Amino acid sequence: EAQVTQNPRYLITVTGKKLTVTCSQNMNHEYMSWYRQDPGLGLRQIYYSMNVEVTDKGDVPEGYKVSRKEKRNFPLILESPSPNQTSLYFCASSPTLPPEQYFGPGTRLTVT
Amino acid sequence: KNQVEQSPQSLIILEGKNCTLQCNYTVSPFSNLRWYKQDTGRGPVSLTIMTFSENTKSNGRYTATLDADTKQSSLHITASQLSDSASYICVVSGGSNYQLIWGAGTKLIIKP
């Protein structure tokens, strides 16, 4: 089944403790992206990747890192999480740009 | 500034009734407009995409319209069902870098 998977789905952590949210797609898509979604706001893009080893900042990249060593995986790294990064995070992939995007199920992150 | 605004913020209707959701945008140049459905706690799923030359597009009980002159789009839902309860998000692709500009969504609740 074609899908985008994210892990974990739920995560509660403390300020400053490094964490990684994994994202994997099995559709051989070149374009992958991370978004955060907060109440009352539209999805905001954090980082995106056009292909392996090619990443770029989105609208809200501060406090996040990404890597794209393989086509299928696009992990999101929070080196030192802070409470303002408490949010719902979505990974998405698509074959082309501008993308017909396929979204993962989301990761709800709480930073205390 | 490129923006997408949706109205109403939320809407409650009875099962079987019709409703129309609005999307106004200021994105220029315009590439395409997409409507997504997002169930609570899940990733958005694409309903329809409209390009500059398209005025109307249907997907089952969902009909999207686009007026590129007034920069307005609407999503009409016919004979609503309980499963239509979700947030509906308008996304416009455009701007100098063909970025995606997301609306904040309309939360639709269908009551039996």
Side-chain angles (χ1 to χ4, degrees):
Chain A
E1 179 190 354
Q3 60 182 349
V4 178
T5 57
Q6 294 178 229
N7 283 292
R9 294 290 314 279
Y10 303 91
L11 179 59
I12 300 175
T13 190
V14 296
T15 299
K17 186 176 181 182
K18 180 180 178 180
L19 65 92
T20 299
V21 183
T22 64
C23 173
S24 183
Q25 50 95 3
N26 62 2
M27 296 169 279
N28 201 37
H29 287 168
E30 293 187 347
Y31 185 97
M32 297 186 73
S33 183
W34 275 103
Y35 293 89
R36 62 178 288 172
Q37 187 175 35
D38 300 294
L41 299 178
L43 270 74
R44 293 182 291 169
Q45 191 178 50
I46 303 170
Y47 269 95
Y48 64 94
S49 169
M50 302 281 282
N51 212 327
V52 176
E53 302 291 2
V54 180
T55 63
D56 211 343
K57 297 177 180 179
D59 299 319
V60 289
E62 295 77 21
Y64 304 94
K65 284 175 56 178
V66 293
S67 68
R68 188 92 182 272
K69 298 190 189 318
E70 308 166 277
K71 200 170 191 178
R72 64 183 293 126
N73 296 324
F74 190 45
L76 178 69
I77 303 157
L78 284 72
E79 294 270 3
S80 183
S82 61
N84 64 13
Q85 292 178 299
T86 292
S87 187
L88 181 58
Y89 291 86
F90 289 102
C91 179
S93 74
S94 67
T96 59
L97 175 72
E100 161 71 71
Q101 295 190 96
Y102 298 85
F103 284 83
T107 294
R108 186 166 292 282
L109 172 66
T110 301
V111 183
T112 61
Chain B
K1 183 180 176 183
N2 292 322
Q3 283 186 312
V4 174
E5 298 198 350
Q6 294 187 241
S7 62
Q9 266 190 317
S10 61
L11 181 62
I12 302 174
I13 64 171
L14 292 176
E15 185 180 10
K17 299 295 186 182
N18 304 334
C19 67
T20 300
L21 314 180
Q22 299 290 344
C23 173
N24 297 338
Y25 61 92
T26 58
V27 180
S28 182
F30 172 85
S31 178
N32 59 67
L33 183 148
R34 190 182 299 275
W35 282 94
Y36 282 89
K37 178 186 179 187
Q38 184 178 21
D39 293 316
T40 301
R42 305 186 75 126
V45 175
S46 180
L47 289 175
T48 184
I49 180 171
M50 303 189 75
T51 58
F52 185 86
S53 59
E54 295 174 306
N55 298 120
T56 303
K57 184 173 278 190
S58 292
N59 177 1
R61 294 180 296 102
Y62 300 102
T63 299
T65 66
L66 175 65
D67 186 333
D69 291 331
T70 62
K71 299 188 176 181
Q72 295 180 325
S73 176
S74 66
L75 181 69
H76 185 76
I77 304 175
T78 304
S80 60
Q81 300 176 358
L82 297 178
S83 59
D84 292 332
S85 293
S87 288
Y88 291 84
I89 306 173
C90 173
V91 187
V92 179
S93 175
S96 55
N97 296 323
Y98 290 100
Q99 69 249 53
L100 298 179
I101 298 96
W102 293 75
T106 293
K107 185 175 177 66
L108 176 64
I109 298 172
I110 311 297
K111 295 211 161 188

